[in-house]
Amino acid sequence: MKKWSTYIWKLIWVIGLFLLTIISFDIKNQIKDSSHFYMIDWTNFIIHFIWGIYISLIFIKKWSIKINLPLLICVSIPCFLFSLIMPLYAFGSWSLKVFSSNLIEIVAGLTWMLSIFNNSNSESE
């Protein structure tokens, strides 16, 4: 039965992926329809940060808190801060390209979760 539970959890994750896609699409459309341009930037940040957290769920094998400080300090926090600053300021055409990709927010959420629940790298060190 334990063997099948792994498959069931992965299928539930895929169903959640579809639900999260539908919900985020609906939220973006509601914000666009309300014509609050400033809200679009913050909504994009929140949605993509949550996407990063959700994607990380498939990589976490054990739910024990063991912080990976280098990943948190060198990747997660800078990505998080940069994605918070970007809706406020534009530093040039390169920053607009980076911000429009929405990858920084996803990486911030993904690495935040992986740095908190780090267990695969710390056991091998």
Side-chain angles (χ1 to χ4, degrees), residues 62-80:
K62 194 194 273 184
W63 288 95
S64 60
I65 295 178
K66 193 164 192 177
I67 297 177
N68 182 343
L69 207 53
L71 183 63
L72 182 67
I73 292 173
C74 297
V75 180
S76 184
I77 292 174
C79 286
F80 184 79

Side-chain angles (χ1 to χ4, degrees), residues 48 52 75-76 79 102-112:
H48 291 103
V75 180
S76 184
C79 286
N102 297 316
L103 289 175
I104 300 298
E105 294 91 346
I106 293 172
V107 169
L110 180 96
T111 56
W112 180 65

Side-chain angles (χ1 to χ4, degrees), residues 4-16 54 57-61:
W4 286 105
S5 67
T6 303
Y7 291 102
I8 292 170
W9 280 116
K10 301 301 182 204
L11 285 173
I12 291 172
W13 185 88
V14 171
I15 293 168
Y54 191 77
L57 296 178
I58 203 150
F59 297 115
I60 297 173
K61 294 179 181 13

